[in-house]
């Protein structure tokens, strides 16, 4: 309690009296805003307080379904912890629609009341913690726009539970609450009768779907339709491609971003004499023809179809199925130069013989290919087919940021445990369609809901039999569903899709046949009850609901997460991060700020733990996975990729490759038939640079290497000045450390031998840095070796952008014990004898594995624990007392000039790297000598104390570290 009071006083002093106050505390008053460019939003702060609260009260005038959706999984998680809340709202301006009140009734740990106060317009959120309250008050209502993207001002305050300000808020709330009416189903029925929907959907916000009532016949009218922001940028790049003499172009555009309209705009600009548009399914033809007519204008006979039943070969603009146009008797009706513009939709299928026949036969002035997923599961290279000319590329995250897609709320929910067994790859059908599982599924689907008046959903199943059986089970529960699998005809599929769109069906259950090539803009719910086989399939299935439509504000994605080995593919698919770096995947599971706009990604706590388990148990560096990524990137860029190419194309993290193979040359030996030769010493130099410099954790080595490659030699003073100009720390101990890295004196004997035994770089008698003679000669004589060295330096420069240059360590980045020795400027690598901590050279790095292995010896099973985001209860090694020298160095760190650095990892599954959480100082009032038992029950002395963190932990990382897999 004393720690909290002191912390609060410091926070208030800095926040309200003196901004230069030396101690900040973790309860500073804070302005909460939405800053999409820097991934900052009000919602994160709201969720942070919600997850740490013991109870809460909201007083908000306006609530939307989308705003409520951002909280639903979090409210369910805290319900399981016994946390209850109250929400006070109203019907002011008839903003809140009846459906949102029904959604509120679903949340069982929240009581809702309605006030009839005229002009009720409050926006306040109050959270009760153990001995204090947090208040968020300002302009944000409970809407997704207000919590994530609108320009909002909110103040966050912390008050002791005996503070006056919080009682003013609470008393005001209670006064209104006591006179407010409870929310009931009958109240909603009464409200529906008088409700007038005053929210008018602005048509010009619908970037993709043109009004269905809009029609045009003349070119003059068509020219009034203008491309959206993305399409304008794409058209400019496509035109630039043509002006450079290219005759082929590939457009990679996320599902729902308007590829057809984009191609129509480009055709309008190109003004071909004749055009051919090729699709892979007949039901797409009429839609494509209609869209083109809107953009191009003209008379009906200008637009023709070639399919199994129709042969309108004389039209100016022809829309054909690949099955029909690829037949020789149809293709040869046209001269090979008849069409000066040809487009192929879903061009990732173009490896098939039918497509290749068409592409080989026709000779247009320009060939356009369009796809959302150019990546292939076979060896065919789509990029090569288009001469590696990527005319334009926009992926899911960018499309969301540009507001081109319908926003979505993804919920990773917990699949059912059946008789104690979690659903996994081996689960038999009879267990997949039990009454219990169907009940569980319906409970989740109902809780997370959908946007709009009626559900229009797709359910992706794992097997045909499951889809059929589950459809019957759902129909028996009163739903209207059908199963559609590969055995059904195209006519049957079209009929069922129309029934879904027209409200005659609630759900279509399928396996994989709707991954692509199906357009259901009104779809408002996608349910996944199968394992994620690949990130490509995942995005294809999620993308089914991302088209904008007047009937919905967002689409709900409900993903049932069982005990699947490849659950780790879910955060990979959602984030688009293909690095194969386990730490990145963990971060993308806990911090989902990569999703732009008002969309959100939410994982129920148990589902999140299953993903962490999958990450821990997976091997993401198998040769097959790395080789596949290598082949995919080589296909994309048309040559052998190097490390820098992987970075610039958001592919595998080079560190993943070099940690396994020591250097990139060794990897190339594994994946290519022929690779230029390197000497043994060249290999060792590459290994040293790859393992010690490539990560970019300190820029100094990278800068020196770069200067030496360009200049041949670098004066000592010039190097120091250059470091200062670049904003790097340039004190003597840091420069000495850099020298020790390159002369290899820092490393252990084994590492020195692995790196070639002789200094790579040294200061000569003229005080100039130079490479050793062997390296100098090899760089001149072996172009391949030179290229690999340059590649490491370029990659390291890019990697170093993640780290601060003016500090030794960067907050929340990960470091090994060896990294700490190096970056804290120790003379030697002492990581092998550091263990939990080591005071040396006026520094003391402390390394903590937060959740220890169950089999660990009790004498080293220290009870280190975060008491809150700013206070770490820490234990010394056993057999230490208050008089032990190492303990005294830590207790008296401030007076002795020693700096304590805290490094923490969640558990041993995270490998050898730890999150750097910043500097800390001991709270002297908390220091005590106690005891702990060894494996034989003998009591051993140990010292414990509270470490006060210089900066409180970020909430998401704090919760991630605190939560164990078995919690």
């Amino acid at each position: 309690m004393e720690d909290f009071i002191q912390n609060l006083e410091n926070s208030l002093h800095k926040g309200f009296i003196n901004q230069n106050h030396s101690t900040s505390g973790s309860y500073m008053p804070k302005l909460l805003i939405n800053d999409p460019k820097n991934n900052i939003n009000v919602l994160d702060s709201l969720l942070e307080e919600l997850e740490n609260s013991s109870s809460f009260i909201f007083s908000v005038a306006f609530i939307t379904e989308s705003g409520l959706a951002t909280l639903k999984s979090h409210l369910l998680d805290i319900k399981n912890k016994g946390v209850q809340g109250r929400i006070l709202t109203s019907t002011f301006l008839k903003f809140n629609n009846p459906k949102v009140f029904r959604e509120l009734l679903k949340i069982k740990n929240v009581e809702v009341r309605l006030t009839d106060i005229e002009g009720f317009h409050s926006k306040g959120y109050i959270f009760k913690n153990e001995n204090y309250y947090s208040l968020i008050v300002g302009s944000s209502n409970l809407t997704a726009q207000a919590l994530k993207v609108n320009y909002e001002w909110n103040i966050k305050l912390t008050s002791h539970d005996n503070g006056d300000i919080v009682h003013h808020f609470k008393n005001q709330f209670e006064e209104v609450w006591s006179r407010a009416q409870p929310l009931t189903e009958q109240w909603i029925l009464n409200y529906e009768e008088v409700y007038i929907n005053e929210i008018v959907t602005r048509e010009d916000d619908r970037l993709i779907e043109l009004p269905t009532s809009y029609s045009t016949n003349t070119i003059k009218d068509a020219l009034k339709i203008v491309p959206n922001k993305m399409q304008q940028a794409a058209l400019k790049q496509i035109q630039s491609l043509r002006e450079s003499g290219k005759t082929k172009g590939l457009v990679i555009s996320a599902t729902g971003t308007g590829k057809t309209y984009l191609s129509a705009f480009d055709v309008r600009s190109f003004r071909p004499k004749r055009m051919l548009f090729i699709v892979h399914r007949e039901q797409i033809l009429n839609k494509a023809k209609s869209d083109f007519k809107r953009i191009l204008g003209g008379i009906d006979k200008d637009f023709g179809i070639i399919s199994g039943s129709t042969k309108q070969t004389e039209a100016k603009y022809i829309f054909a199925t690949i099955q029909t146009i690829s037949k020789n008797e149809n293709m040869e009706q046209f001269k090979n130069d008849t069409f000066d513009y040809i487009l192929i939709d879903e061009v990732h299928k173009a490896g098939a013989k039918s497509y290749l026949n068409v592409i080989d036969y026709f000779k247009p002035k320009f060939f356009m290919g369009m796809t959302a997923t150019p990546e292939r599961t076979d060896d065919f290279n789509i990029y090569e087919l288009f001469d590696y000319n990527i005319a334009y590329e926009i992926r899911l995250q960018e499309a969301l940021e540009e507001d081109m897609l319908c926003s979505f709320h993804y919920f990773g929910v917990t699949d059912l445990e059946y008789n104690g067994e979690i659903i996994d790859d081996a689960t038999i059908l009879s267990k997949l369609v039990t009454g219990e599982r169907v009940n569980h599924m319906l409970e989740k689907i109902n809780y997370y809901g959908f946007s709009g008046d009626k559900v229009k959903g797709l359910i992706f199943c794992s097997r045909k039999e499951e889809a059929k059986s589950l459809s019957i089970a759902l129909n028996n529960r009163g739903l209207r569903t059908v199963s559609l699998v590969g055995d059904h005809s195209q006519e049957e599929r079209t009929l069922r899709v129309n029934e879904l769109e027209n409200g005659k069906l609630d759900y279509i259950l399928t396996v994989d046949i709707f991954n692509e090539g199906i357009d259901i803009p009104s779809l408002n719910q996608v349910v996944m009850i199968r394992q994620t086989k690949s990130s490509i399939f995942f995005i294809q299935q999620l993308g089914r609901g991302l088209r904008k439509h007047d009937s919905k504000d967002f689409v709900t994605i409900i993903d049932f997460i069982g005990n699947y080995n490849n659950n780790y593919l879910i955060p990979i698919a959602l984030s688009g991060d293909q690095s194969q770096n386990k730490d990145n995947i963990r971060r993308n599971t806990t911090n989902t700020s990569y999703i732009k706009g008002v969309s959100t990604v939410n994982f129920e706590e148990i589902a999140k733990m299953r993903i962490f388990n999958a990450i821990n148990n997976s091997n993401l560096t198998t040769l097959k996975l790395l080789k596949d990524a290598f082949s995919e990137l080589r296909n994309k860029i048309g040559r052998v990729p190097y490390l820098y190419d992987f970075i610039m194309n958001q592919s595998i993290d080079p560190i993943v490759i070099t940690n396994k193979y020591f250097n990139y040359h060794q990897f190339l030996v594994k994946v290519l038939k022929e690779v230029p030769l390197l000497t043994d010493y060249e290999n060792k130099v590459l290994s040293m640079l790859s393992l010690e410099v490539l990560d970019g954790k300190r820029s100094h080595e990278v800068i020196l290497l770069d200067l030496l490659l360009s200049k041949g030699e670098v004066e000592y003073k010039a190097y120091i000045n250059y470091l200062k100009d670049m904003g790097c720390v340039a004190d003597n101990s840091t420069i000495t450390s850099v020298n020790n890295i390159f002369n290899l004196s820092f490393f252990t004997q084994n590492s020195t031998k692995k790196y070639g035994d002789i200094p790579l770089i040294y200061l000569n008698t003229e005080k100039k840095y130079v490479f050793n003679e062997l390296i100098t000669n090899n760089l001149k004589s072996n172009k391949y070796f030179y290229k690999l060295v340059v590649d490491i330096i370029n990659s390291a420069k890019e990697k170093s952008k993640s780290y601060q240059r003016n500090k030794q360590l960067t907050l929340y980045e990960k470091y090994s014990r060896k990294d700490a020795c190096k970056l804290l400027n120790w003379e030697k690598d002492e990581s092998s004898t550091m263990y939990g901590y080591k005071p040396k050279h006026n520094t003391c790095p402390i390394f903590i594995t937060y959740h220890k292995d169950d089999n660990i010896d009790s004498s080293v099973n220290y009870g280190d624990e975060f008491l809150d985001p700013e206070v770490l209860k820490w234990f010394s090694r056993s057999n230490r007392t208050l008089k032990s020298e190492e303990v005294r160095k830590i207790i008296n760190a401030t007076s002795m000039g020693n700096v304590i650095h805290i490094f923490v990892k969640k558990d041993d599954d995270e490998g050898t790297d730890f999150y750097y959480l910043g500097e800390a100082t001991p709270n002297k009032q908390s220091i005590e000598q106690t005891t702990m038992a060894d494996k034989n029950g003998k009591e051993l002395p140990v010292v414990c104390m509270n470490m006060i963190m210089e900066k409180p932990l970020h909430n998401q990382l704090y919760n991630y570290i605190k939560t164990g897999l078995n919690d």
Side-chain angles (χ1 to χ4, degrees):
M1 176 63 76
E2 288 181 9
D3 287 342
F4 168 74
I5 296 293
Q6 184 63 52
N7 192 337
L8 184 58
E9 286 179 355
N10 285 328
S11 301
L12 295 175
H13 192 98
K14 190 176 182 75
F16 288 106
I17 300 172
N18 181 4
Q19 63 177 326
N20 297 315
H21 187 59
S22 58
T23 307
S24 65
S26 57
Y27 302 109
M28 282 220 4
K30 188 176 180 182
L31 176 67
L32 304 183
I33 62 170
N34 295 313
D35 181 1
K37 287 185 178 179
N38 294 304
N39 291 331
I40 295 170
N41 57 62
V42 178
L43 178 62
D44 283 346
S45 295
L46 199 65
L47 294 178
E48 176 183 339
E49 295 301 332
L50 195 63
E51 288 167 3
N52 293 321
S53 66
S54 57
S55 67
F56 61 91
I57 55 177
F58 296 172
S59 179
V60 284
F62 302 147
I63 306 175
T64 61
E65 291 178 70
S66 189
L68 195 58
T70 65
L71 306 183
K72 276 189 173 180
S73 68
H74 306 275
L75 290 170
L76 186 63
D77 283 335
I78 64 173
K79 171 181 174 287
N80 295 332
K81 299 175 186 176
V83 176
Q84 301 285 320
R86 292 182 288 166
I87 295 178
L88 178 66
T89 187
S90 76
T91 59
F92 181 49
L93 298 180
K94 299 293 187 298
F95 179 93
N96 298 337
N97 67 39
K99 187 162 180 275
V100 80
F101 290 119
R102 285 208 163 84
E103 294 301 313
L104 282 164
L105 276 183
K106 294 177 183 177
I107 304 171
K108 301 306 181 186
N109 57 326
V110 175
E111 184 183 356
V112 181
R113 289 191 185 182
L114 291 305
T115 177
D116 58 3
I117 292 177
E118 186 71 26
F120 180 81
H121 206 228
S122 67
K123 299 107 176 174
Y125 307 83
I126 304 177
F127 305 90
K128 174 76 173 75
N129 289 277
E130 186 177 350
N131 49 29
Y132 68 93
Y133 285 88
S134 293
L135 300 85
I136 296 175
V137 182
S139 64
S140 290
N141 277 296
L142 188 45
T143 73
Q145 291 285 339
L147 296 178
K148 285 208 73 184
V149 298
N150 286 353
Y151 185 76
E152 306 275 351
W153 275 22
N154 299 276
I155 186 72
K156 175 184 168 184
L157 302 171
T158 302
S159 168
H160 190 277
D161 57 12
N162 199 34
D164 190 45
I165 186 69
V166 73
H167 284 284
H168 278 302
F169 278 100
K170 279 187 62 188
N171 292 342
Q172 179 65 28
F173 178 91
E174 297 294 353
E175 182 182 332
V176 179
W177 179 268
S178 65
R179 302 196 308 268
Q181 186 172 358
L183 177 66
T184 63
E185 179 62 34
Q186 185 58 52
W187 182 93
I188 297 173
L189 291 172
N190 295 338
Y191 179 57
E192 277 179 326
E193 293 180 8
V194 298
Y195 175 71
I196 300 172
N197 186 357
E198 296 181 0
I199 302 174
V200 178
T201 303
R202 289 178 52 201
E203 203 66 67
D204 57 9
D205 283 343
R206 303 285 174 175
L207 296 182
I208 305 306
E209 294 298 322
L210 291 173
T212 53
S213 60
Y214 187 91
S215 63
T216 179
N217 290 315
T218 69
I219 294 173
K220 184 178 179 180
D221 288 338
L223 288 172
K224 294 177 182 177
I225 306 173
V226 296
N228 63 35
K229 183 179 176 182
M230 180 280 288
Q231 290 161 345
Q232 290 172 15
L235 291 168
K236 189 175 179 180
Q237 289 194 28
I238 296 167
Q239 181 59 28
S240 176
L241 189 74
R242 281 197 290 264
E243 288 173 355
S244 68
K246 307 297 185 185
T247 60
K248 294 179 180 179
L250 180 63
V251 170
I252 302 168
S253 186
T255 299
T257 52
K259 293 190 293 293
T260 305
Y261 284 124
L262 169 63
S263 61
F265 283 124
D266 193 53
V267 168
R268 187 170 79 181
S269 172
F270 190 89
R271 298 173 66 185
K273 292 179 181 177
R274 297 194 72 184
M275 178 212 78
L276 175 64
F277 187 107
I278 301 172
V279 301
H280 69 288
R281 285 188 179 170
E282 191 166 342
Q283 74 265 31
I284 304 173
L285 283 179
N286 285 316
K287 177 72 163 63
K289 187 182 88 166
S290 173
D291 291 343
F292 264 73
K293 191 177 178 186
R294 281 177 176 165
I295 304 301
L296 300 180
I299 57 179
D300 287 345
K301 73 173 186 178
D302 281 349
F303 299 84
I305 284 180
I306 295 179
S307 65
S309 56
T310 309
K311 303 287 190 300
Q312 297 168 336
T313 58
E314 299 302 317
K316 181 178 180 179
Y317 306 112
I318 291 179
F319 301 82
T321 61
I322 187 63
Q323 295 85 352
T324 305
I325 194 68
S326 62
K327 293 178 180 177
N328 288 336
E329 63 268 25
N330 295 325
M331 196 161 47
E332 291 170 2
Q333 290 184 54
F334 304 96
K335 293 181 180 179
N336 63 5
D337 62 352
T338 297
F339 304 105
D340 36 358
Y341 196 123
I342 295 180
L343 300 104
I344 300 180
D345 193 25
E346 306 291 0
V347 75
H348 53 275
K349 299 177 180 295
K353 188 174 184 298
S354 55
Y355 284 93
L356 295 178
N357 286 344
V358 170
I359 292 169
D360 289 342
Y361 178 78
F362 286 110
K363 306 299 177 189
K365 291 179 181 177
F366 192 68
F367 233 128
M368 167 89 84
M370 301 183 295
T371 180
T373 52
E375 298 82 9
R376 298 277 298 178
T377 52
D378 57 26
D379 291 329
F380 187 77
N381 188 353
I382 295 298
Y383 299 99
E384 183 181 19
L385 197 61
F386 287 85
D387 299 335
Y388 305 101
N389 299 326
I390 300 176
Y392 189 74
E393 180 170 7
I394 185 165
R395 298 296 181 120
L396 175 65
Q397 286 73 22
E398 299 167 285
L400 286 168
E401 191 167 8
E402 294 294 337
D403 193 30
M404 295 163 59
L405 301 175
C406 175
S407 61
F408 70 87
H409 296 295
Y410 168 92
F411 299 99
V413 306
T414 312
D415 209 340
L416 184 71
E417 290 189 19
Y418 182 78
N419 289 340
E421 296 178 21
I422 301 171
I423 300 293
D424 62 17
D425 299 337
T427 303
I428 61 173
L429 179 65
S430 61
K431 291 184 179 180
L432 292 177
V433 196
T434 62
E436 288 176 86
R437 191 176 187 227
V438 173
N439 288 342
H440 176 76
M441 185 179 128
L442 287 173
E443 180 184 319
K444 295 292 185 183
I445 288 174
N446 178 60
Y447 180 76
Y448 289 112
F450 56 88
S451 173
D453 297 330
K454 293 182 179 179
V455 67
K456 295 178 181 179
L458 270 184
I459 301 178
F460 287 98
C461 303
S462 57
R463 309 166 206 167
K464 293 178 183 179
E465 296 78 12
E466 181 187 18
K468 294 173 184 175
S469 300
L470 188 56
S471 176
I472 294 169
L474 293 175
N475 291 341
N476 289 338
R477 306 294 180 95
L479 290 172
R480 300 167 302 165
T481 78
V482 294
S483 64
L484 282 181
V485 295
D487 304 334
H488 290 100
S489 68
Q490 195 59 59
E491 292 73 22
E492 175 79 0
R493 298 179 194 182
T494 302
L495 171 67
R496 296 309 190 182
V497 168
N498 288 336
E499 288 180 339
L500 185 71
E501 287 199 290
N502 295 331
K504 295 179 181 178
L505 284 176
D506 300 317
Y507 292 98
I508 294 175
L509 289 82
T510 185
V511 184
D512 287 328
I513 65 168
F514 279 6
N515 285 7
E516 57 186 355
I518 185 70
D519 192 9
I520 315 176
S522 60
L523 199 70
N524 56 21
Q525 192 184 78
V526 176
V527 181
M528 302 173 181
I529 56 170
R530 82 296 165 271
Q531 64 170 306
T532 299
K533 297 176 183 176
S534 78
S535 55
I536 296 174
F537 288 167
F538 181 93
I539 292 298
Q540 286 176 338
Q541 293 175 355
L542 180 147
R544 294 308 96 210
L546 294 184
R547 290 194 184 276
K548 290 192 170 187
H549 194 268
D550 288 344
S551 66
K552 65 184 183 184
D553 292 322
F554 60 91
V555 61
T556 303
I557 314 293
I558 305 172
D559 191 359
F560 287 82
I561 298 175
N563 196 31
Y564 302 125
N565 293 330
N566 48 4
N567 278 335
Y568 66 87
L569 288 171
I570 297 171
I572 287 177
L574 288 165
S575 66
D577 184 329
Q578 300 295 321
S579 67
Q580 297 296 100
N581 183 316
K582 284 191 174 186
D583 183 47
N584 288 353
I585 303 172
R586 289 188 187 96
R587 291 185 186 216
N588 290 332
T589 307
T590 55
N591 180 359
T592 60
S593 59
Y594 47 80
I595 292 295
K596 307 298 181 183
V598 298
S599 297
T600 59
V601 170
N602 312 270
F603 294 102
E604 292 180 1
E605 199 60 44
I606 296 174
K608 192 185 297 182
M609 291 304 107
R610 289 178 182 171
I611 292 176
F612 289 145
N613 267 327
I615 296 169
N616 294 343
N617 296 331
S618 64
N619 181 359
L620 302 185
T621 61
T622 63
L623 182 58
K624 182 185 183 306
L625 285 173
L626 299 183
K627 193 173 181 178
D628 286 348
F630 172 87
S631 298
E632 184 181 305
L633 184 53
R634 181 169 61 174
N635 285 348
K636 183 175 183 179
I637 65 178
R639 58 173 172 78
V640 171
Y642 286 82
L643 298 176
Y644 188 69
D645 295 313
F646 284 101
I647 295 175
M648 299 313 291
N649 287 278
Q650 292 83 48
S651 185
I652 284 183
D653 183 351
I655 303 299
V656 171
I657 298 174
T658 55
N659 278 352
K660 183 162 186 175
Y661 293 98
F662 294 170
N663 65 60
Y664 193 56
H665 168 74
Q666 298 290 359
F667 173 71
L668 290 178
V669 168
K670 294 282 187 182
V671 297
L672 295 177
K673 292 180 181 178
E674 293 185 15
V675 179
L677 295 175
L678 290 179
T679 66
D680 180 59
Y681 183 65
E682 287 170 333
N683 245 313
K684 289 180 176 179
V685 170
L686 289 175
S687 293
M688 186 276 172
L689 298 180
S690 299
L691 298 176
E692 306 298 344
V693 179
L694 174 62
D695 59 26
K697 291 179 180 178
R698 185 163 67 184
S699 296
H700 300 62
E701 288 87 348
V702 186
I703 289 170
L704 182 54
L705 285 166
D706 199 27
L707 290 171
L708 281 173
L709 269 187
S710 60
K711 299 177 182 297
E713 58 183 24
V714 181
E715 289 187 357
Y716 177 82
K717 287 185 178 179
Y719 173 55
I720 302 300
N721 290 334
Y722 192 83
L723 288 176
K724 290 178 179 177
D725 289 342
M726 297 294 288
C728 298
V729 177
D731 57 22
N732 289 336
S733 61
T734 301
I735 303 306
T736 300
S737 175
V738 173
N739 294 341
N740 291 344
I741 295 298
F742 283 126
N743 66 30
L744 305 186
S745 62
F746 170 79
F747 300 104
T748 63
Q749 189 173 353
N750 284 340
S751 292
T752 302
K753 187 175 181 181
K754 183 169 65 177
Y755 296 155
D757 284 323
I758 59 174
L760 279 72
I761 297 170
Y762 62 92
L763 272 171
N764 64 18
T765 54
E766 298 175 354
K767 293 289 283 184
K768 292 180 179 178
Y769 284 105
V770 292
F771 284 119
N772 71 42
E773 190 175 351
L774 261 177
I775 294 176
T776 301
N777 292 336
N778 290 357
L779 287 171
K780 291 177 181 178
S781 62
N782 189 338
K783 291 182 180 179
Y784 175 61
F785 174 64
Y786 177 85
K787 184 171 185 175
L788 290 173
V789 172
V790 171
D791 182 42
I792 292 170
I793 295 169
N794 287 338
S795 302
K797 281 196 285 189
E798 199 61 36
K799 298 281 288 181
S800 69
K801 292 177 181 178
S802 299
Y803 300 90
Q804 291 181 272
R805 288 179 169 175
N806 61 347
K807 293 191 175 180
Q808 294 172 311
L809 299 159
T810 300
L811 203 63
Y812 303 144
E813 292 297 333
K814 293 192 85 172
Y815 299 93
S816 64
R817 290 180 173 88
K818 179 181 172 183
D819 289 331
C821 293
K822 168 182 151 182
L823 299 175
L824 294 176
N825 300 331
W826 289 20
E827 293 174 1
K828 298 283 185 182
D829 172 12
E830 300 186 39
S831 55
S832 63
T833 57
M834 186 177 291
Y835 308 113
Y837 60 94
K838 195 167 195 176
K840 199 162 189 176
H841 302 304
N842 295 118
T843 61
C844 181
I846 293 177
F847 291 87
I848 297 168
T849 302
Y850 203 85
H851 298 278
K852 282 125 178 130
D853 190 289
D854 291 339
N855 299 320
I856 193 171
D857 192 309
S858 58
S859 63
V860 292
N861 192 7
Y862 312 112
D864 305 318
E865 179 188 9
F866 275 106
L867 303 181
D868 61 47
E870 195 181 35
V871 181
L872 169 69
K873 186 175 184 181
W874 175 77
F875 288 77
S876 71
R877 282 188 278 265
S878 58
N879 264 330
R880 301 298 188 272
T881 69
L882 291 171
K883 295 181 179 179
S884 300
E885 184 181 0
E886 68 184 46
V887 174
R888 286 176 49 247
K889 285 181 179 179
I890 293 172
I891 291 173
N892 300 308
T894 303
S895 60
M896 296 175 71
N898 297 328
V899 181
I900 298 171
H901 297 274
I902 305 296
F903 299 82
V904 177
K905 64 179 178 180
K906 185 183 183 76
D907 51 49
D908 283 328
D909 286 324
E910 289 202 332
T912 59
D913 286 0
F914 297 72
Y915 289 101
Y916 176 59
L917 304 184
E919 297 177 15
T921 53
N923 178 340
K924 292 202 172 185
Q925 284 71 42
S926 67
I927 299 168
E928 64 173 329
Q929 182 177 314
T930 182
T931 60
M932 63 186 301
D934 67 8
K935 61 183 177 182
N936 298 316
K938 181 182 177 182
E939 293 293 321
L940 303 174
V942 65
V943 176
C944 74
M945 64 193 76
N946 290 346
M947 291 284 183
I948 309 301
M949 306 300 297
E950 182 184 30
K951 290 189 176 180
L953 265 66
H954 187 283
N955 184 63
Q956 288 167 329
L957 183 58
Y958 173 73
N959 287 333
Y960 168 66
I961 289 171
K962 288 267 290 182
T963 306
L965 292 176
N966 298 317
D967 286 2

